[in-house]
Amino acid sequence: MEGALTARDRVGIQDFVLLDTHTSENAFLDNLKKRFNEDLIYTYIGTLLVSVNPYKQLDIYSKKQMDIYMGVNFFELPPHIYALADNAYHTMLAEANNHFILISGESGAGKTEASKKILQYYAVSCPSVSPMDRVRDRMLLSNPVLEAFGNAKTLKNDNSSRFGKYMDIQFDIQGEAVGGHILSYLLEKSRVVHQNQGERNFHIFYQLVEGGEEDLLRQLGLESNSQHYSYLVKGQCANMTSVNDQNDWRTVRNALSSIEFDNGDIQDLFGVIASVLHLGNVQFESDNKGNAKLNNSAELRWLLGVSVQVLQEGLTYRKIEANTDEVLSPFTVDYATYARDALAKAIYGRAFTWLVNKINESMENKDLSRKTVIGLLDIYGFEVFYVNSFEQFCINYCNEKLQQLFIQLTLKSEQEEYEAEGIGWEPVQFFNNKIICDLVEEKHRGIISLLDEECLRPGEATDLTFLERLEEKMGSHPHFVTHKLADKTTRKTLERGDFRLLHYAGEVTYCVVGFLDKNNDLLYRNIKDVMRESKNAIVRECFASMESDNRRRPETVASQFKSSLVGLTDILMSKEPWYVRCLKSNESKQPGRFDDSLVLHQVKYLGLTEHLRVRRAGFAYRRRYEVFLQRYKPLCPATWPHWKGLPADGVEVLVRHLGYQPDEYKMGRTKIFIRHPRTLFATEDAFEICKNDLGKDRPAERGTVFIHFWIYINIETCWRGVQARKEKERRQWAVKVIKKFIKGYMTRGEAKTTDNSEYLVFVRQSYLNRLKNNLPKTVLDKTTWLSPPPVLTETSAILRQIHMRLLVRKYVRGITAQQKAQLQLKQITSAIFKGKKDNYPQSIPQPFVETRIKDINIKVLQMIRHERIKYSVPIVKYDRNGFKPRPRQLVLTQTAAYMVDDAKIKQRVIYTTLKSEPPACYVWNGGIQAGKEGVVDFSSGSESMVYKDRNGHLMVVSHATVAR
């Protein structure tokens, strides 16, 4: 965007925020005109897009143009509706929140086309799989269908939307469009029965009559001539050279089939359209009593499969209560005409609602996982006609509410950005149109409440009594005036049946004639009863929902619309906003013509100058440090050609070198904020001079240096583009992998499917890798085997068995002959001691020694060698007197036990002379020599010790339990 500033005197400025004289309406208009004259129809106000209808085809909507804007920073390329659509989409994916795009402007400004361009862009740019193609096709094909049933030619536009439309496009986590939903607002049903001079009814009527197949028209009782139907000629322009009804008919038929309307539904839908046309040809005349009667009942036999007699009675009589009975009261011709038109409007209005619901069913996404949403709101703009009625009152009230929301969200967005960047926020003064919204909608005191009261009150309520009530309740309100309340000068511009509101966009005068009837929009009860008996499924379904009307009065049109706006406001407040403001360049739809006064009028009532004032209240320009430094780094020797520090530090060095004053800029956390556009203009002009002056000191090399400079810039730009595309592909791949992983996890307990197959492979690999690093190391390790996931339970058991066999095999192969002998001895020992000896388990790991015969004196060996020594062990001998310990050696031979003191044999005990052990002590007795008897007591305690006890016995204390 900054690069275009050099041509600003010729082509204007791409962003109005950079307009130096931003408070000047003339400067605003002049910038729009410069750009329009260069076929630059798009201009920004921050992230708001202003679009001027050129009334000619421009080559800026090709697939190539879509590719250029995909994934590009919002301000990196010239303003375009693709840039806004792309940034809304990528911001939604990055932040995982919901967004909406509000498209507004008056009839003929290009709102419908803007909505189509956004849908077409998403259809091409979003990731595409088979289900997405279905949703994409149905979203695109819903447009011609809704245009046929909801659009009409008006004085200002050949394809004017006569209803408000909000469409939600639902995206999954990968960014694929997976569903949609449409809400409609305030269909202009009065157009069915009346059109102003130079206007037409809804397109579908002419398409059916002029383009319908001969067999179909014969089945519906229609002729292929629009002039034969009263409802189609009120505006006296049934045939138009600028519209091809035959081609449009084929488009609508194909679209209905593609959206999967079945043949029965399509037949019933066209039956409804034909019935409205027949109903319009029903005429009444007065009998001699002044009551209405049909002058021809031929048309009634084509009406929705309803009995001619019953329908005739419904159109010429109404049910009234007389005492406890219901009787039929005859209509006058005027009442009968009113009843006929009310029925026609009700049938068409309810069929349109049915059509929208049917389209929603075809786009419904039944997957309950979380979705993000981009909403498209194509809503009527502010309307000011020569005669403004109830419809314009509702439309302008809607625009007041949206303007209020618009300013609130703009201020909120600005304040949040300032706070996020750590920049001080200064309160902004702006016109708060709450006073006008309250004037219209305030409970018990607003215009809508007074209108409803007048519709409901007993007695003869008329449009003029409603006006009197307004004068009584609102006479002192600064934004309300009538002929009676006005001063002499203003009174000349008002009729006696008018009231004038001072809207945020300017004054609008409303004629109260028809307000009560249009607000009531009632059907007589007997007509409702007739419709419920219709053979047409659509009519039966629509009127069945009205059964409660027999018990209570339905909500008025204004109250319904007010409730709808409250619901719409709640929807929009929960989403992040983007705006497209559409302007008409001229009233005559001539290419290349720019009507200054008309455009300025639209600029005012769309609140564009107010929005610009809010955006310019603080800093006109803000950019991320990386972007700003990348562009302007050649202007400072310290930052060119490469800055190696943090981008914020580089920007600080750069702006100081350029001489920015402290009050001209602020450094945020991630962005630089520049207060005045002239500061940016000076920077951009310096950048242009820098490019032209490269190599000036060496003229011969100037061209080469300049070329090298641009090669560097272009290579770097291309490289960043390549890296960005790679990053985008990597993220898309990551999203798909994560989504598959989540689905696999959710279905991991089920049989193998396409959803969980890859996840189960991952689970197997992960478990086996972890098991490989945590296998038991010995055959005795029975606890460290990892618990398997359910899918590997059987596999884990087999692997565990195999691994145990492997450990055993390795152990067995590693046993020596000596170890084998030890194990055989251990096996024998186990049979003897296991379960019988307390300390047996502790002895198991200790290997048996080969011999216990150690360190026997050679003299002793010579004396006892003939007895074959079996065992020897060091012992301690305690004297009888005083139990003094003395080291000795116990030697066991085949026939006797010897107590040896070094080279002397102190005692010899022959085995055959030993006696049984006493129960409480061991007594040395007999076998050696007679003498004094000694007693040894055994006990357990906290530590081992031997001492002479008080009873004179030798006390042996062990820390383990030992049998005496």
Side-chain angles (χ1 to χ4, degrees):
M1 184 189 76
E2 291 85 345
L5 292 176
T6 55
R8 59 185 179 273
D9 293 334
R10 179 174 59 86
V11 301
I13 294 172
Q14 294 183 358
D15 191 342
F16 279 109
V17 172
L18 299 179
L19 199 63
D20 210 18
T21 53
H22 69 279
T23 58
S24 168
E25 291 180 347
N26 290 332
F28 192 101
L29 193 65
D30 182 61
N31 192 61
L32 269 183
K33 192 170 185 177
K34 284 179 181 178
R35 296 183 62 73
F36 179 80
N37 290 337
E38 297 292 330
D39 285 340
L40 302 172
I41 64 171
Y42 294 121
T43 312
Y44 292 139
I45 306 178
T47 56
L48 179 147
L49 182 70
V50 180
S51 170
V52 183
N53 194 337
Y55 295 113
K56 64 179 179 181
Q57 294 294 326
L58 298 176
D59 187 24
I60 59 173
Y61 302 109
S62 62
K63 172 64 166 60
K64 181 180 179 181
Q65 284 287 318
M66 292 184 184
D67 292 338
I68 290 173
Y69 280 89
M70 284 184 195
V72 177
N73 183 276
F74 190 65
F75 295 105
E76 193 168 326
L77 293 174
H80 202 293
I81 197 163
Y82 292 161
L84 182 137
D86 187 77
N87 274 268
Y89 173 74
H90 283 96
T91 306
M92 174 201 70
L93 291 182
E95 299 178 359
N97 56 4
N98 299 325
H99 292 246
F100 75 88
I101 302 172
L102 171 58
I103 307 170
S104 61
E106 72 172 56
S107 180
K111 301 188 301 295
T112 301
E113 286 302 310
S115 178
K116 287 181 185 176
K117 298 304 181 192
I118 292 172
L119 282 176
Q120 289 167 1
Y121 181 80
Y122 287 148
V124 172
S125 65
C126 295
S128 178
V129 293
S130 180
M132 185 272 167
D133 293 340
R134 177 181 64 82
V135 172
R136 178 196 65 192
D137 292 343
R138 293 180 181 182
M139 282 193 295
L140 291 175
L141 291 171
S142 68
N143 265 327
V145 174
L146 291 175
E147 284 183 19
F149 284 83
N151 289 22
K153 179 201 180 315
T154 66
L155 292 173
K156 296 188 175 185
N157 184 6
D158 289 347
N159 188 32
S160 175
S161 296
R162 307 317 299 161
F163 71 106
K165 179 179 74 173
Y166 176 78
M167 172 186 280
D168 265 340
I169 309 170
Q170 300 171 348
F171 297 89
D172 65 11
I173 194 171
Q174 296 178 359
E176 297 173 7
V178 294
H181 187 81
I182 296 171
L183 296 174
S184 63
Y185 298 93
L186 195 67
L187 177 71
E188 190 186 27
K189 293 185 292 184
S190 62
R191 182 168 295 273
V192 173
V193 300
H194 175 77
Q195 305 95 44
N196 293 326
Q197 187 75 19
E199 297 188 349
R200 297 209 312 175
N201 209 324
F202 293 104
H203 294 323
I204 188 61
F205 292 110
Y206 305 96
Q207 293 170 0
L208 174 59
V209 171
E210 301 294 342
E213 298 78 7
E214 187 176 337
D215 288 346
L216 176 63
L217 294 179
R218 185 168 56 253
Q219 292 172 18
L220 300 175
L222 298 177
E223 300 177 40
S224 184
N225 190 339
S226 301
Q227 301 294 332
H228 292 177
Y229 299 98
S230 175
Y231 281 162
L232 303 187
V233 295
K234 296 290 181 71
Q236 298 183 1
C237 65
N239 299 317
M240 293 173 53
T241 57
S242 61
V243 176
N244 190 323
D245 291 315
Q246 289 87 351
N247 287 344
D248 292 343
W249 166 257
R250 286 190 288 272
T251 300
V252 171
R253 281 300 304 260
N254 293 335
L256 287 171
S257 300
S258 299
I259 299 174
E260 294 187 2
F261 280 60
D262 59 43
N263 290 332
D265 286 337
I266 294 175
Q267 193 70 25
D268 285 341
L269 185 60
F270 294 144
V272 170
I273 304 306
S275 295
V276 171
L277 293 177
H278 287 301
L279 194 57
N281 284 356
V282 172
Q283 302 297 322
F284 304 94
E285 60 185 23
S286 296
D287 61 13
N288 54 10
K289 295 182 180 179
N291 298 327
K293 69 174 184 178
L294 286 167
N295 61 6
N296 184 2
S297 62
E299 297 283 356
L300 296 182
R301 64 192 181 92
W302 298 103
L303 288 177
L304 307 170
V306 177
S307 163
V308 173
Q309 181 179 354
V310 173
L311 187 58
Q312 180 176 344
E313 182 181 280
L315 291 174
T316 55
Y317 291 87
R318 64 172 172 171
K319 288 182 180 179
I320 61 173
E321 292 187 2
N323 297 324
T324 58
D325 299 325
E326 289 183 343
V327 298
L328 293 176
S329 172
F331 282 145
T332 64
V333 172
D334 288 342
Y335 270 114
T337 302
Y338 173 85
R340 178 202 66 191
D341 290 347
L343 177 59
K345 291 187 291 183
I347 291 173
Y348 191 82
R350 284 165 174 77
F352 184 81
T353 301
W354 175 89
L355 177 67
V356 172
N357 292 337
K358 195 74 176 176
I359 292 173
N360 284 336
E361 288 177 13
S362 74
M363 297 190 298
E364 183 182 5
N365 178 260
K366 295 184 170 65
D367 184 358
L368 298 180
S369 60
R370 187 177 184 273
K371 309 291 186 305
T372 48
V373 165
I374 293 180
L376 286 180
L377 179 59
D378 176 1
I379 202 81
Y380 10 66
F382 203 80
E383 289 190 349
V384 185
F385 298 144
Y386 181 74
V387 176
N388 301 290
S389 188
F390 178 75
E391 291 84 3
Q392 282 69 50
F393 170 76
C394 291
I395 287 171
N396 292 343
Y397 161 55
C398 171
N399 277 268
E400 286 286 357
K401 290 292 289 182
L402 292 177
Q403 174 68 10
Q404 186 182 37
L405 176 71
F406 176 51
I407 294 296
Q408 286 176 358
L409 291 178
T410 302
L411 285 172
K412 177 173 174 282
S413 173
E414 283 288 285
Q415 188 170 356
E416 285 177 350
E417 182 175 15
Y418 277 54
E419 290 175 353
E421 291 293 325
I423 304 294
W425 172 255
E426 301 171 2
V428 178
Q429 296 299 319
F430 65 96
F431 171 65
N432 190 343
N433 68 335
K434 183 178 185 297
I435 186 174
I436 306 172
C437 294
D438 289 345
L439 172 65
V440 175
E441 67 183 8
E442 191 173 8
K443 196 171 183 180
H444 304 308
R445 298 175 59 184
I447 294 175
I448 290 177
S449 292
L450 296 178
L451 178 60
D452 287 351
E453 287 177 13
E454 201 65 13
C455 289
L456 295 173
R457 76 174 179 85
E460 289 297 323
T462 65
D463 296 320
L464 291 179
T465 60
F466 163 60
L467 183 60
E468 290 171 1
R469 286 274 291 161
L470 291 181
E471 292 171 336
E472 176 188 337
K473 293 289 186 181
M474 301 179 179
S476 60
H477 199 287
H479 291 263
F480 176 86
V481 67
T482 66
H483 183 277
K484 177 181 177 181
L485 300 173
D487 56 36
K488 289 183 180 180
T489 304
T490 307
R491 191 172 294 169
K492 294 177 182 178
T493 64
L494 287 167
E495 299 293 336
R496 294 187 182 276
D498 293 347
F499 68 91
R500 181 174 294 165
L501 297 183
L502 180 56
H503 289 280
Y504 77 92
E507 295 179 344
V508 182
T509 302
Y510 299 98
C511 176
V512 296
V513 176
F515 261 61
L516 265 63
D517 283 343
K518 291 175 180 178
N519 189 44
N520 271 321
D521 195 29
L522 297 176
L523 283 178
Y524 293 111
R525 286 171 53 191
N526 47 329
I527 295 181
K528 297 177 193 174
D529 295 338
V530 170
M531 290 300 101
R532 293 192 195 101
E533 302 302 321
S534 170
K535 294 180 182 178
N536 186 295
I538 296 176
V539 174
R540 244 190 354 264
E541 181 180 334
C542 292
F543 280 85
S545 64
M546 298 174 58
E547 290 182 3
S548 60
D549 292 356
N550 286 336
R551 296 185 293 274
R552 62 179 180 84
R553 187 181 183 89
E555 197 175 22
T556 62
V557 173
S559 292
Q560 288 179 25
F561 188 60
K562 176 182 171 183
S563 300
S564 298
L565 278 185
V566 171
L568 177 62
T569 302
D570 291 341
I571 290 173
L572 300 184
M573 284 295 286
S574 66
K575 296 177 171 61
E576 297 298 319
W578 301 78
Y579 304 100
V580 180
R581 294 288 196 252
C582 299
L583 305 177
K584 294 169 64 173
S585 55
N586 62 84
E587 288 284 14
S588 56
K589 306 170 191 171
Q590 293 181 7
R593 183 183 168 196
F594 190 91
D595 187 331
D596 291 30
S597 59
L598 174 65
V599 174
L600 183 59
H601 174 67
Q602 296 171 84
V603 167
K604 286 180 179 178
Y605 77 63
L606 285 172
L608 298 184
T609 51
E610 187 78 8
H611 181 69
L612 175 57
R613 206 162 62 80
V614 171
R615 284 301 307 264
R616 278 294 302 273
F619 294 87
Y621 174 89
R622 68 283 312 253
R623 280 292 180 277
R624 294 188 67 85
Y625 292 131
E626 297 86 345
V627 177
F628 188 86
L629 183 62
Q630 179 62 35
R631 181 168 185 80
Y632 296 118
K633 63 184 180 181
L635 298 178
C636 174
T639 57
W640 175 259
H642 298 292
W643 174 258
K644 297 183 179 179
L646 294 174
D649 296 337
V651 171
E652 186 72 51
V653 171
L654 173 60
V655 298
R656 286 180 180 174
H657 177 79
L658 294 174
Y660 282 22
Q661 296 301 310
D663 64 338
E664 289 183 329
Y665 74 100
K666 291 284 186 184
M667 301 290 287
R669 293 190 176 94
T670 64
K671 298 177 182 178
I672 179 174
F673 287 68
I674 297 177
R675 188 176 298 279
H676 304 297
R678 59 178 177 270
T679 306
L680 180 65
F681 295 163
T683 306
E684 186 61 33
D685 292 341
F687 180 62
E688 285 298 312
I689 294 170
C690 175
K691 288 192 297 184
N692 294 330
D693 286 351
L694 279 174
K696 187 170 269 188
D697 293 336
R698 292 176 291 173
E701 300 179 12
R702 186 182 308 161
T704 304
V705 174
F706 183 76
I707 291 171
H708 287 174
F709 172 78
W710 278 110
I711 289 175
Y712 168 79
I713 293 293
N714 289 334
I715 290 175
E716 187 174 40
T717 302
C718 292
W719 177 250
R720 284 191 289 114
V722 169
Q723 293 301 104
R725 284 188 287 275
K726 285 184 178 179
E727 177 65 13
K728 179 182 177 182
E729 293 173 0
R730 190 186 68 81
R731 290 188 179 189
Q732 289 177 342
W733 173 83
V735 166
K736 289 180 181 179
V737 171
I738 292 170
K739 184 177 179 181
K740 274 194 171 184
F741 187 88
I742 293 172
K743 281 188 176 180
Y745 176 77
M746 294 171 66
T747 58
R748 64 191 184 280
E750 301 175 6
K752 183 179 179 181
T753 64
T754 54
D755 285 338
N756 64 11
S757 58
E758 291 190 17
Y759 177 80
L760 295 180
V761 169
F762 167 78
V763 168
R764 292 188 184 99
Q765 291 176 344
S766 176
Y767 174 74
L768 293 175
N769 285 332
R770 287 186 295 116
L771 183 62
K772 178 182 69 174
N773 298 323
N774 293 278
L775 289 170
K777 299 297 188 296
T778 69
V779 293
L780 299 178
D781 187 350
K782 308 290 186 181
T783 60
T784 59
W785 189 267
L786 295 180
S787 298
V791 71
L792 286 174
T793 303
E794 184 178 353
T795 304
S796 175
I798 295 171
L799 289 175
R800 189 171 188 176
Q801 187 177 10
I802 292 172
H803 182 66
M804 181 57 68
R805 288 179 179 174
L806 178 63
L807 289 177
V808 171
R809 185 180 182 188
K810 285 182 177 179
Y811 184 79
V812 170
R813 285 188 172 184
I815 293 176
T816 63
Q818 185 180 7
Q819 289 173 325
K820 183 177 180 181
Q822 282 278 337
L823 287 174
Q824 289 172 340
L825 289 174
K826 289 283 184 183
Q827 187 176 6
I828 296 170
T829 307
S830 176
I832 298 172
F833 292 109
K834 186 176 180 180
K836 301 176 183 178
K837 185 177 178 183
D838 290 342
N839 61 351
Y840 171 72
Q842 288 78 26
S843 68
I844 293 175
Q846 300 175 11
F848 294 115
V849 295
E850 186 176 351
T851 179
R852 294 279 185 175
I853 304 174
K854 297 179 181 179
D855 304 326
I856 303 175
N857 190 280
I858 189 67
K859 292 181 180 180
V860 174
L861 282 175
Q862 290 176 351
M863 285 187 287
I864 62 176
R865 64 182 182 274
H866 59 281
E867 295 185 15
R868 298 182 61 185
I869 301 172
K870 293 293 186 180
Y871 185 81
S872 72
V873 63
I875 63 173
V876 178
K877 177 225 176 192
Y878 293 91
D879 290 344
R880 290 185 179 88
N881 298 319
F883 301 117
K884 181 179 180 179
R886 299 183 185 276
R888 296 287 188 268
Q889 188 173 26
L890 179 66
V891 179
L892 302 179
T893 66
Q894 195 167 1
T895 59
Y898 294 87
M899 185 180 295
V900 177
D901 177 12
D902 194 16
K904 297 179 181 178
I905 297 176
K906 292 290 188 178
Q907 288 178 311
R908 179 175 186 264
V909 179
I910 300 174
Y911 300 145
T912 56
T913 64
L914 291 175
K915 296 182 178 180
S916 299
E917 178 186 1
C921 65
Y922 183 82
V923 181
W924 288 100
N925 187 19
I928 301 177
Q929 60 185 9
K932 185 179 178 180
E933 186 180 77
V935 179
V936 181
D937 292 334
F938 294 91
S939 171
S940 62
S942 58
E943 58 179 318
S944 300
M945 62 181 71
V946 180
Y947 59 92
K948 181 179 180 181
D949 203 359
R950 292 178 181 177
N951 57 9
H953 296 180
L954 177 64
M955 176 60 70
V956 179
V957 180
S958 171
H959 69 278
T961 303
V962 179
R964 294 195 203 179

